[in-house]
Amino acid sequence: MEYLLLVISAVLVNNILLAQYLGNCPFLGVSKQMSTALGMGTAVIFTMTLASIITWGVHKWILMPLEIEYLQTLSFILVIASLVQFVEIFMKKSMDTLYQALGIFLPLITTNCAVLGVALLCIKNEYSFLKMVVFSFASGLGFALALVVFAGLRERYVISNIPKPLQGTAIGLITAGFMSLAFFGFMGLT
Amino acid sequence: MVTALIVMGGLGCVSALLLGIASKVFYVKENPIILEVEEALPGANCGGCGFAGCHAAAVAIATGKAPPNICVGGGPDISENVANIMGMKVVAKEPELASTECCGGARAVEKFNYDGIQDCRAANMLFGGTKLCEHGCLGFGTCVNSCPFGAIEMGPDRLPVFDPNLCRGCGACVRVCPKGIISLISSTTKILHFNQYSECLAPCQQKCPAQIDIPTYIDQIREGKYKEAILTIKERNPLPLTCGRVCPHPCEDVCRRGVEDEPVGINYLKRFVADWEMNQGQHLEVSIAAPSGYKVAVIGGGPAGLSCAYFLRRLGHKVTIYEQMPQLGGMLRYGIPEYRLPKRILDWEIEGIVGLGIEVRTGVKFGEDFDLEFLRAAGFDAVFMGIGAWDSRRMGIDGEDLEGVWDGTDFLSKFHLGETPVIGKKVVIVGGGNTAIDAARSALRIGASHVTLMYRRSREEMPANDMEITAAEEEGIELMFLAAPVRIHPKNGKVAKIEYIKMRLTDPDPSGRRRPEPIPNSETLMDADTIIAAIGQFPKIDFIRENKNIAALKITKWSTIDGAEETLQTDIPYVFTGGDCFTGPALAVDAIGAGRYAARSIHYYMLEGEIPLIEERQTSLIKETLFDHVEGLEHVPRVHPPELKVDTRIRNFDEVEHTLSPSDAQREADRCLRCGLICYNRDIIEAMERELAESTTQ
Ligand SMILES: Cc1cc2nc3c(=O)[nH]c(=O)nc-3n(C[C@H](O)[C@H](O)[C@H](O)COP(=O)(O)OP(=O)(O)OC[C@H]3O[C@@H](n4cnc5c(N)ncnc54)[C@H](O)[C@@H]3O)c2cc1C
């Protein structure tokens, strides 16, 4: 039950994109087509989970014992960036099909604030290992959900009649705003 | 502080070390060629090539998954640069250009018309596009917006118009059109295409043996686009000048205007544009595909051979025509008389075909001067035999070999070999086909005072073109029906009299045919200086039996060359046939259609070794398209081209019929109902009429 709540909260209530406003760059950048949105979503789920696990370890076994938690942000950035690079190199060699599917999105994630954000949240909320894994996976899922829904909307509105000044990113941001408002409706769940 | 520094430094070092090791262990050698190719590509990431951006395209090119000329955005220089990097050469690629067959029909009032729908895809999602035709163009111009090269414009009737000079064939419009009416089509695809039952075909187009897209060219004539009209015709028929003059136009028999009014003068229109091209003085350029490296020999330079050679040439193959006579044209030259088809016109037309780069050897006879072994040794990959029907059936009566008895085709060919036959005053022609009529009308023109055409059945059964029979009657040729020759009586070793017997037709037999039978004791004598027998032709194929390497060719019991109906392939796999030598005597336009059909088979045979069958190939008329009445049709008389007066024309071989004036052509084109093009929806028309009635009563 606890875990279910955790998942619902991460996916819907505290959606990383629409409630916490993290990771807006890929949200606008790769949401023009359903297929790319799906690819990006999967890549984020994967990276987010992995990054949280590693950073959780770094925090628990390096930062905490040495009492230098104030280095969290700095060290996490370093670790996440290297991790993503490492994963990319590894996948390219050993998992070609996965690389073909996710490869082009990985560099985009290197500096994705949503990944860092989730890693930091896990620490802030003092999750256990299992909770941390579930939470980061669910957050990734929330990211993917929002991205896919948004891509669906965008695929439709490119073919509708939009006043000139609002075309392109402008209408994208407005739509994102409305989506965010809609997601606020989930607030009542908790 | 120190710990912090050590930890961060340590983390950095560990990450760097791990990444360093990883890049060593997991190193994948990036092909330097990919980078070079990517450099050479325009970097527009337009996706027109079908790959996700230029990098992906570069990878595909470098790994051989895509050809170097795949980039549609860049034009020829880029292809060449890429090919150079790959160590290949580019040959010009035949352009595949966007086009649509849909003419939108007469669109109904828009069903839903509110702000917000400005895009075909949206319209399609909302109401499936209930314009008049549910398959056709919606007309919002989404394709126009989709084109990265600005090659599409919305025409005046809200149909896309494609600019072939700007179109790069990237296919963006094809992907975006929700109705699927835009396609990328190269000339090769068009030439290889034959009618299918699944298509939107007007009856005329179904009936034409050459499958010319008649409604389209009539439409183009109506709009004054003569050049386009000619090119439309030449996608199917390289001999429009000839057919415009001699074709008995089976298409007009099924013209739907004919059910309420007179049929459209389709053939007059064809002749009109063909004459227009000739009067311009220049053969219009037609597309020719890149050289394929294959060589084909065409035996016989009649319409079948010419058509086959023409289409094979346009498909990129090398073609050589071998012809026994001194000039090309077959029966068009040595059969059809000058007054119907002036030979300078035939010359001009053939010059245009040969000018595409077809080699011609005249005066060489297959079976005597060369054979299949010779052609194989000369490196030909396939052979087309279109040797026509050059042997005449004999009457089989006494006196047939006397001086003064001619064979119809021999007689006609004399005129074109620079001789005028001596025939005297009284001439009797035996037979009822085109050859008989042509011989009769020619005899009249070289001084015969009394020409009689003797035919053993009645007028209805005459196989000659109706217009020819009428013209012959007008010129004063006596038609004698239900009579057959039995004996020829000589005087001084020459023809003097012909003895004939009267015939009657039996009651129809189970197959519905009425056979002629002689009436006993009705023999009659008639004076004659010359007798011309034109009772039928069949292919001259004695050489097949004599020459052992040709003997494998199977011959039917009608002395025609046997071949597969679906492919025109003979028993020798690399030999194909078509035209009169395959079907027996038929029409020029049949031979032209067969020529293209054989060209298709030969093309696939050489390239793929196998000839794909045409799915749902249309061979008979589609019932649904033959509607039996047309509502609200106003009678508009058919135009008639100017003709020479009878008393002047029988004295010479000047062309009898002349061409239409541009305004007459326009008027005649306007009479076309555009069957199969107008998307006919009765409900909507009724609704419109009701609305109109309501608004007038108010
Ligand atoms: C008098 C007459 C009038 C006609 N009028 C009309 C008409 O008004 N409308 C119409 O549509 N059709 C008409 N036709 C029919 C039409 O001309 C033929 O159907 C058409 O020409 C057949 O084309 P083809 O290429 O199969 O054969 P052909 O035109 O006969 O051509 C065969 C060619 O092969 C050559 N050849 C034959 N044997 C050899 C060999 N061994 N080696 C090398 N070359 C060889 C011949 O010299 C000839 O050039 C008429 C026919 C005749 C005879």
Side-chain angles (χ1 to χ4, degrees):
Chain A
M1 192 59 206
E2 198 186 345
Y3 287 100
L4 187 70
L5 265 180
L6 190 65
V7 170
I8 290 177
S9 119
V11 174
L12 298 176
V13 186
N14 293 316
N15 187 293
I16 188 95
L17 271 174
L18 296 172
Q20 324 227 27
Y21 310 119
L22 290 172
N24 270 308
C25 162
F27 188 52
L28 292 169
V30 288
S31 57
K32 290 207 182 84
Q33 265 180 2
M34 190 55 94
S35 51
T36 35
L38 274 171
M40 181 69 183
T42 329
V44 166
I45 295 177
F46 176 76
T47 325
M48 211 172 249
T49 319
L50 202 66
S52 299
I53 294 173
I54 303 279
T55 49
W56 190 84
V58 168
H59 181 82
K60 175 130 189 178
W61 289 304
I62 300 178
L63 302 184
M64 281 232 292
L66 295 174
E67 294 179 5
I68 42 171
E69 284 99 332
Y70 57 86
L71 280 180
Q72 254 179 13
T73 317
L74 211 54
S75 56
F76 283 11
I77 292 177
L78 182 73
V79 170
I80 294 175
S82 328
L83 174 76
V84 177
Q85 286 303 311
F86 180 83
V87 170
E88 191 187 349
I89 296 172
F90 176 73
M91 280 211 311
K92 196 167 180 179
K93 177 88 177 181
S94 322
M95 295 183 272
D96 200 47
T97 30
L98 196 63
Y99 178 74
Q100 298 296 339
L102 303 183
I104 41 167
F105 303 109
L106 286 173
L108 284 177
I109 303 172
T110 314
T111 52
N112 187 328
C113 51
V115 177
L116 179 66
V118 169
L120 289 173
L121 277 175
C122 289
I123 307 300
K124 194 178 119 205
N125 296 342
E126 295 178 354
Y127 287 141
S128 67
F129 180 77
L130 199 58
K131 264 193 168 168
M132 174 274 297
V133 173
V134 172
F135 175 75
S136 53
F137 182 81
S139 296
L141 213 58
F143 184 96
L145 175 77
L147 194 64
V148 165
V149 172
F150 191 48
L153 288 173
R154 283 190 95 162
E155 276 195 346
R156 283 180 182 243
Y157 78 57
V158 287
I159 62 172
S160 44
N161 186 24
I162 294 166
K164 261 259 147 61
L166 295 183
Q167 280 174 8
T169 312
I171 191 76
L173 285 169
I174 293 173
T175 316
F178 282 128
M179 277 178 72
S180 172
L181 277 180
F183 268 68
F184 266 107
F186 291 119
M187 281 298 188
L189 278 179
T190 39
Chain B
M1 178 66 193
V2 184
T3 6
L5 276 179
I6 292 175
V7 168
M8 282 313 291
L11 267 179
C13 285
V14 171
S15 306
L17 200 68
L18 276 175
L19 280 180
I21 295 171
S23 21
K24 174 86 186 147
V25 174
F26 301 116
Y27 180 60
V28 181
K29 193 155 176 264
E30 184 94 57
N31 191 341
I33 289 178
I34 297 182
L35 296 178
E36 251 184 276
V37 171
E38 198 177 345
E39 255 333 61
L41 292 174
N45 288 321
C46 71
C49 55
F51 289 95
C54 293
H55 176 75
V59 173
I61 295 172
T63 50
K65 285 185 193 124
N69 57 356
I70 186 177
C71 179
V72 294
D77 317 352
I78 293 204
S79 304
E80 204 168 328
N81 289 343
V82 173
N84 283 340
I85 296 169
M86 297 296 296
M88 290 188 234
K89 256 183 64 187
V90 270
V91 281
K93 182 174 161 234
E94 188 189 14
E96 285 202 336
L97 301 180
S99 67
T100 179
E101 310 256 282
C102 176
C103 76
R107 287 205 193 82
V109 246
E110 274 157 47
K111 201 164 181 183
F112 299 94
N113 189 4
Y114 57 88
D115 261 359
I117 297 189
Q118 299 253 320
D119 187 284
C120 301
R121 288 167 297 181
N124 191 39
M125 272 186 217
L126 275 170
F127 57 91
T130 320
K131 296 277 181 151
L132 201 43
C133 161
E134 63 183 78
H135 307 293
C137 176
L138 290 166
F140 288 105
T142 301
C143 47
V144 177
N145 300 333
S146 78
C147 179
F149 306 104
I152 313 178
E153 255 181 43
M154 233 38 200
D157 40 7
R158 288 223 278 153
L159 276 171
V161 179
F162 302 91
D163 183 342
N165 298 320
L166 292 175
C167 178
R168 295 276 173 75
C170 72
C173 49
V174 179
R175 285 190 291 274
V176 95
C177 175
K179 289 297 192 176
I181 54 161
I182 307 176
S183 48
L184 291 183
I185 275 205
S186 66
S187 292
T188 299
T189 327
K190 285 193 201 166
I191 290 172
L192 295 174
H193 182 82
F194 280 81
N195 286 355
Q196 290 167 311
Y197 284 120
S198 49
E199 289 175 285
C200 182
L201 300 169
C204 48
Q205 201 179 349
Q206 301 168 36
K207 182 82 183 189
C208 174
Q211 303 193 344
I212 306 174
D213 187 353
I214 294 167
T216 301
Y217 84 72
I218 293 189
D219 214 35
Q220 285 161 333
I221 293 175
R222 181 195 352 243
E223 289 173 12
K225 295 181 184 161
Y226 301 150
K227 184 178 159 201
E228 283 79 1
I230 274 290
L231 292 177
T232 304
I233 298 174
K234 287 200 176 172
E235 245 153 45
R236 292 289 177 264
N237 181 347
L239 297 161
L241 278 169
T242 303
C243 283
R245 286 171 167 76
V246 306
C247 190
H249 40 72
C251 51
E252 293 180 22
D253 299 346
V254 295
C255 174
R256 288 301 99 184
R257 189 159 194 115
V259 297
E260 304 274 337
D261 191 3
E262 292 169 283
V264 176
I266 300 173
N267 208 37
Y268 297 150
L269 289 170
K270 186 193 295 113
R271 170 169 176 175
F272 168 76
V273 273
D275 281 358
W276 171 85
E277 185 198 7
M278 186 175 62
N279 295 335
Q280 298 286 302
Q282 232 178 0
H283 298 281
L284 287 180
E285 205 177 309
V286 293
S287 63
I288 295 182
S292 67
Y294 290 101
K295 273 171 74 180
V296 185
V298 168
I299 306 169
L306 284 170
S307 155
C308 187
Y310 170 87
F311 288 112
L312 283 169
R313 181 70 202 108
R314 286 193 64 181
L315 292 169
H317 309 299
K318 272 180 88 166
V319 186
T320 309
I321 302 181
Y322 292 87
E323 166 61 51
Q324 62 177 7
M325 302 298 278
Q327 277 179 290
L328 296 180
M331 279 303 176
L332 304 178
R333 183 181 300 279
Y334 297 106
I336 298 180
E338 179 79 12
Y339 61 87
R340 287 213 282 140
L341 176 61
K343 294 305 162 297
R344 65 174 175 86
I345 287 170
L346 183 65
D347 288 343
W348 195 83
E349 186 137 271
I350 291 176
E351 181 191 293
I353 297 174
V354 173
L356 299 180
I358 294 169
E359 273 187 59
V360 179
R361 307 248 186 293
T362 50
V364 286
K365 187 164 180 193
F366 181 67
E368 268 175 28
D369 304 322
F370 67 104
D371 55 17
L372 289 177
E373 217 162 78
F374 166 87
L375 294 176
R376 286 304 262 186
F380 288 102
D381 299 283
V383 176
F384 174 75
M385 288 207 11
I387 56 169
W390 279 56
D391 226 346
S392 298
R393 211 178 308 149
R394 292 170 57 85
M395 294 184 285
I397 55 174
D398 279 351
E400 189 162 4
D401 298 318
L402 285 171
E403 199 188 324
V405 182
W406 290 82
D407 155 58
T409 45
D410 268 357
F411 172 77
L412 286 168
S413 66
K414 285 283 178 279
F415 294 94
H416 309 295
L417 293 166
E419 300 165 36
T420 308
V422 182
I423 53 165
K425 287 292 169 199
K426 289 197 153 148
V427 178
V428 176
I429 321 276
V430 183
N434 276 324
T435 315
I437 299 260
D438 283 341
R441 292 178 74 188
S442 296
L444 200 67
R445 283 166 169 75
I446 52 169
S449 56
H450 196 94
V451 181
T452 310
L453 195 137
M454 184 184 287
Y455 181 52
R456 61 192 181 131
R457 300 173 201 246
S458 66
R459 181 175 178 138
E460 287 83 74
E461 283 87 18
M462 270 181 89
N465 313 341
D466 212 35
M467 281 164 58
E468 297 299 310
I469 305 174
T470 317
E473 276 182 314
E474 279 171 15
E475 289 171 9
I477 288 159
E478 189 193 334
L479 301 182
M480 185 186 219
F481 295 110
L482 295 165
V486 283
R487 195 166 297 113
I488 297 167
H489 298 279
K491 191 170 163 193
N492 307 332
K494 280 188 65 184
V495 170
K497 281 186 188 340
I498 181 165
E499 183 183 334
Y500 64 92
I501 188 162
K502 297 223 171 89
M503 312 284 279
R504 62 176 168 226
L505 291 176
T506 57
D507 292 334
D509 64 5
S511 69
R513 267 175 71 95
R514 305 177 69 189
R515 276 181 310 106
E517 63 177 16
I519 304 171
N521 305 321
S522 65
E523 287 89 347
T524 318
L525 276 180
M526 182 162 74
D527 285 345
D529 298 321
T530 297
I531 293 166
I532 301 173
I535 55 168
Q537 288 113 254
F538 57 89
K540 203 179 182 81
I541 36 134
D542 19 342
F543 62 85
I544 293 182
R545 295 194 184 97
E546 287 154 17
N547 189 312
K548 59 182 178 325
N549 79 58
I550 311 173
L553 271 185
K554 235 176 49 211
I555 304 299
T556 66
K557 63 178 177 194
W558 301 278
S559 291
T560 57
I561 299 173
D562 201 11
E565 193 68 44
E566 288 292 324
T567 56
L568 296 181
Q569 195 172 25
T570 65
D571 280 359
I572 306 176
Y574 64 88
V575 179
F576 294 76
T577 186
D580 280 3
C581 66
F582 175 66
T583 56
L587 300 178
V589 68
D590 285 306
I592 289 165
R596 185 169 68 92
Y597 202 79
R600 172 187 179 272
S601 295
I602 293 173
H603 177 81
Y604 283 121
Y605 170 77
M606 294 191 303
L607 259 66
E608 292 168 17
E610 225 171 279
I611 306 161
L613 295 184
I614 298 166
E615 272 174 45
E616 295 211 41
R617 175 182 168 204
Q618 178 249 323
T619 45
S620 54
L621 296 178
I622 304 169
K623 262 213 311 290
E624 294 74 32
T625 61
L626 302 176
F627 44 91
D628 51 12
H629 73 289
V630 189
E631 270 162 61
L633 194 66
E634 209 180 305
H635 177 81
V636 183
R638 176 179 158 117
V639 298
H640 286 283
E643 246 183 24
L644 286 190
K645 290 259 172 343
V646 171
D647 47 352
T648 48
R649 78 192 194 203
I650 58 170
R651 301 211 177 102
N652 55 42
F653 278 83
D654 288 348
E655 192 173 13
V656 171
E657 217 177 59
H658 288 254
T659 199
L660 297 179
S661 68
S663 58
D664 275 354
Q666 170 96 25
R667 268 227 330 271
E668 193 59 22
D670 255 336
R671 296 179 69 240
C672 172
L673 297 177
R674 305 218 260 170
C675 309
L677 284 186
I678 287 194
C679 317
Y680 186 71
N681 184 331
R682 188 181 299 270
D683 293 346
I684 292 182
I685 289 179
E686 273 168 10
M688 279 165 72
E689 276 167 0
R690 253 202 319 278
E691 237 169 67
L692 200 72
E694 274 164 25
S695 64
T696 43
T697 49
Q698 270 165 13

